Amino acid sequence: MATLLFRKSRTLLLAHNNHQHLQNKLALLVRTRSRSSPFVNYCSNSRILPSSSHPFLPSSSRYESTEAQPQLEDLQHQVTHHDDQMIDFPGGKVGFTSEMSFISDTSHIRVPCYRVLDDDGELVNHTNHVQVSKELAVRMHSEMVTLQTMDSIFYELQRQGRISFYLTTSGEEAVNIASAAALSSHDVILPQYREPGVLLWRGFTLQQFAHQCFGNTNDLGKGRQMPIHYGSNKHNYFTVSSPIATQLPQAVGAAYSLKMDGKSACAVTFCGDGSTSEGDFHAALNFAAVMEAPVVFICRNNGWAISTPVEEQFRSDGIVVKGQAYGIWSIRVDGNDALAVYSAVHTAREIAIKEQRPVLIEALTYRVGHHSTSDDSTKYRSTGEIEYWKMERNPVNRFKRWVEKNGWSSEKDELELRSSVRKQLMHAIQVAEKAQKPPLEDMFTDVYDQLSSNLEEQERELRQTIEKHPKDYLSDVPL
C-alpha cells in the first residue's frame, strides 16, 4: 500500500508542469539527537515530544530520545540493565522486568502549548523565537487582514446566491499566513481546504480567487471543482480535494520524491483535528517515519470536526502525542499566535530538510465561523463561546497589537488597507461574474489523451438530455 501511495504521489509531483527547480541539496545532517536540537533552542517555552523514549535503542539510531516521558521513567527503574537480561529485538535491545506494569492511557499533565505573544500582543518572558523583520511582520499582518476581508465578502456572496458554496478561515488566519511566511516557495503544499491564506501569500491574486469561486473560463480548474477548491502548479499548491485526509499519505510520497531527487525542499500538508480519526492520517505518519520523509504535518486543532467536539473524537491529549507514538518529533503551538506559528514552522522546515525527517505540529486554534455555508454551528455550540474566541482570542488583533507597539503600523494604516482590499475584491467579483462559463466539453477532457468510449457516451447522453429539458440547465454554459 505504501509503495502505491508513494508512486501516486511521485507521479503527481512529476506532473507538476510548472514546478520550479528547487535549491541545491543540503548535506544531510548525520548526528545523534542531543539537547541542542533546533526545537529545544527555538521553542524553549514548550515541551518537545521526542520520537522515542526507550533507553535501549542503539546509540546510532536517528530516533534516540533526548527526553523521556514521565510515565515511562516510572517504569525504567524496574528494568534489568545486564546484557544477559535483555532481548536483542529488531529496533534495539529491550530490557526485562519482573514487575507487571501498564503504561497509562495518558499523562495527568497535558503537553504545554508553545507561545511567543500573550493575548495582549506582548512578548512573553524568556521567549526564544525566530526573529521577524519589520517588512515581514507588516506583510504578515496585511495578508491576514486581506484574508479576513476576502472571507467576509465571499461568504456574503454565497448567501446572496451568487456562488454555490464557501467556507471561511475566520479565527485561523494566523495558522494560514504565519505558516506560509515560514516556508520557501519551493516547498510543496498539499492543503486540506481551510488554507487559502497559504496560496494568497504565494501570490495567487484576488482575481484568481474570484474566478475559481465563480467557476468561469479563467478558473485554472475550468469550473470542474466546487468553490474554494483552489490549486496552482505555479505556486506549488496541489488542488484541494474534498475527501478528508487523502492528502496526507500523498504528501509523504511527494516528500520522499523530493528526498530521492536531492532537493532542498520539503512537503507541507495541512489537516484538521477531524482528519486524525481517518485511517489515512495514521498511515501517513507511520509511512513518513519509516521512510524518513522530509514532510511537515500541520494539524489545525480548532476544537470541532464540523459538529463533533474533540472530547468526543479521541481520548488522547490532542494530536501532538500521536506523533510520538509513530516516531515523529512533535510540538503543540498556540495557533492564534502568529509569531509562535512562524517560529515552529520555520524550525520544523529546517529539521525536515537538514535532518530528513518528518515533523508534526499541532496548532491549537478555533473555528470562529460555521464549518461552511452548509452548516449552522449555533446548533451545537453557544454563541458565547464563539464570541469569546472572536473577540478575546482573535489572532489578527493580537498580532496587530504587537506590530503597532513596534511602531510598524497604525489603526489608520489598517483602515486604509481594509478599504483598498474591499475595492479590489468588488472589482474582481464583477469581472469574474461576467466572464463566460467553460464549455460543456470541458467536463470530459484533460483526463485521457484520447476520450474513452464511455466518456464519449456520457457526453452524448448529457447533450440529448439538455436538448429535451433546456429549461433545467444554465443557458450561459456554451454547448
Side-chain angles (χ1 to χ4, degrees):
M1 181 65 178
T3 302
L4 290 175
L5 289 170
F6 163 66
R7 287 175 178 171
K8 179 179 180 182
S9 299
R10 181 171 172 79
T11 301
L12 284 169
L13 188 60
L14 292 176
H16 224 40
N17 296 330
N18 295 324
H19 185 69
Q20 302 173 5
H21 289 293
L22 305 178
Q23 300 172 5
N24 293 332
K25 179 181 179 182
L26 293 176
L28 296 181
L29 184 60
V30 182
R31 61 176 177 81
T32 55
R33 301 292 156 250
S34 69
R35 293 190 182 273
S36 62
S37 158
F39 255 137
V40 178
N41 289 338
Y42 284 137
C43 307
S44 56
N45 291 342
S46 176
R47 177 166 190 176
I48 306 306
L49 292 186
S51 54
S52 172
S53 54
H54 204 290
F56 299 116
L57 290 178
S59 59
S60 60
S61 170
R62 67 182 290 107
Y63 294 125
E64 184 178 0
S65 173
T66 60
E67 181 180 354
Q69 280 286 70
Q71 59 183 4
L72 295 183
E73 287 179 350
D74 294 339
L75 300 178
Q76 289 173 9
H77 73 278
Q78 305 170 9
V79 176
T80 302
H81 294 279
H82 299 295
D83 286 343
D84 59 348
Q85 297 297 318
M86 293 184 180
I87 180 173
D88 192 4
F89 196 78
K93 292 184 178 180
V94 179
F96 290 106
T97 178
S98 60
E99 298 183 34
M100 183 174 65
S101 300
F102 293 86
I103 299 174
S104 63
D105 54 352
T106 186
S107 172
H108 295 296
I109 302 176
R110 298 195 67 181
V111 175
C113 181
Y114 170 61
R115 74 184 326 195
V116 177
L117 296 176
D118 63 21
D119 292 341
D120 296 321
E122 297 280 359
L123 291 172
V124 299
N125 293 330
H126 311 301
T127 181
N128 187 14
H129 62 281
V130 180
Q131 296 300 309
V132 173
S133 67
K134 173 184 175 181
E135 180 183 9
L136 182 59
V138 170
R139 186 186 170 196
M140 287 170 64
H141 175 247
S142 174
E143 299 286 39
M144 281 195 278
V145 169
T146 300
L147 180 60
Q148 202 175 53
T149 306
M150 183 177 79
D151 275 346
S152 176
I153 292 177
F154 279 136
Y155 184 87
E156 291 304 319
L157 279 182
Q158 194 283 332
R159 287 298 187 239
Q160 295 168 12
R162 295 163 70 183
I163 59 176
S164 61
F165 178 82
Y166 197 73
L167 57 78
T168 71
T169 59
S170 300
E172 303 180 44
E173 295 90 350
V175 177
N176 269 250
I177 301 302
S179 63
L183 300 172
S184 163
S185 61
H186 301 296
D187 298 326
V188 178
I189 306 296
L190 288 92
Q192 188 180 26
Y193 45 63
R194 214 178 294 274
E195 297 85 25
V198 179
L199 193 52
L200 177 68
W201 181 271
R202 292 192 165 199
F204 205 70
T205 67
L206 296 179
Q207 187 65 72
Q208 287 177 302
F209 280 110
H211 285 320
Q212 197 284 327
C213 286
F214 279 97
N216 58 39
T217 52
N218 298 310
D219 169 26
L220 298 179
K222 298 185 178 181
R224 299 183 180 116
Q225 291 274 13
M226 290 172 61
I228 66 89
H229 286 56
Y230 312 109
S232 174
N233 286 340
K234 177 182 177 181
H235 299 97
N236 277 336
Y237 190 95
F238 277 72
T239 302
V240 172
S241 179
S242 283
I244 299 299
T246 56
Q247 74 279 6
L248 302 179
Q250 293 169 5
V252 181
Y256 194 67
S257 177
L258 292 171
K259 178 177 180 176
M260 290 181 66
D261 292 340
K263 304 296 186 181
S264 181
C266 65
V268 180
T269 186
F270 294 81
C271 67
D273 48 277
S275 297
T276 68
S277 294
E278 295 286 340
D280 280 349
F281 172 83
H282 300 275
L285 263 63
N286 190 57
F287 184 21
V290 172
M291 302 305 292
E292 297 178 339
V295 56
V296 178
F297 298 96
I298 302 177
C299 180
R300 300 171 290 90
N301 184 351
N302 62 22
W304 296 90
I306 307 183
S307 60
T308 303
V310 291
E311 58 267 24
E312 294 182 13
Q313 189 172 175
F314 41 68
R315 290 290 301 273
S316 63
D317 178 11
I319 290 92
V320 65
V321 296
K322 300 179 191 293
Q324 184 186 35
Y326 285 105
I328 294 176
W329 282 34
S330 310
I331 187 171
R332 170 177 284 161
V333 304
D334 184 347
N336 287 20
D337 176 356
L339 288 185
V341 173
Y342 178 84
S343 295
V345 175
H346 186 279
T347 307
R349 179 183 185 274
E350 287 188 347
I351 292 173
I353 295 174
K354 293 181 180 179
E355 305 187 20
Q356 295 293 284
R357 61 157 64 240
V359 180
L360 170 65
I361 298 174
E362 177 187 15
L364 298 186
T365 182
Y366 190 80
R367 193 196 76 217
V368 170
H370 304 299
H371 174 74
S372 72
T373 49
S374 303
D375 173 50
D376 179 3
S377 62
T378 62
K379 299 295 184 182
Y380 51 82
R381 58 181 184 173
S382 70
T383 55
E385 175 183 318
I386 298 171
E387 283 301 308
Y388 167 74
W389 284 90
K390 182 178 181 179
M391 303 305 295
E392 301 298 324
R393 296 189 57 79
N394 187 300
V396 181
N397 292 346
R398 189 197 300 192
F399 191 65
K400 167 190 171 183
R401 295 187 193 106
W402 180 74
V403 171
E404 289 182 348
K405 286 172 184 177
N406 282 297
W408 296 340
S409 185
S410 66
E411 186 70 28
K412 179 183 177 182
D413 293 332
E414 180 172 323
L415 290 174
E416 291 177 350
L417 172 62
R418 288 185 182 276
S419 176
S420 174
V421 171
R422 184 176 183 82
K423 289 178 181 177
Q424 293 176 56
L425 276 167
M426 298 310 292
H427 175 72
I429 290 166
Q430 290 177 357
V431 172
E433 199 164 22
K434 293 177 181 178
Q436 189 178 46
K437 298 296 183 183
L440 185 67
E441 63 184 22
D442 278 2
M443 288 182 62
F444 305 95
T445 56
D446 295 340
V447 177
Y448 300 102
D449 182 39
Q450 293 183 343
L451 214 60
S452 60
S453 58
N454 64 314
L455 287 178
E456 289 177 339
E457 181 181 1
Q458 289 177 30
E459 184 177 356
R460 283 195 303 270
E461 290 179 352
L462 177 57
R463 291 183 182 279
Q464 291 170 2
T465 303
I466 294 174
E467 288 179 4
K468 292 180 181 179
H469 309 281
K471 294 182 179 180
D472 295 333
Y473 291 86
L474 296 174
S475 60
D476 59 346
V477 176
L479 300 178

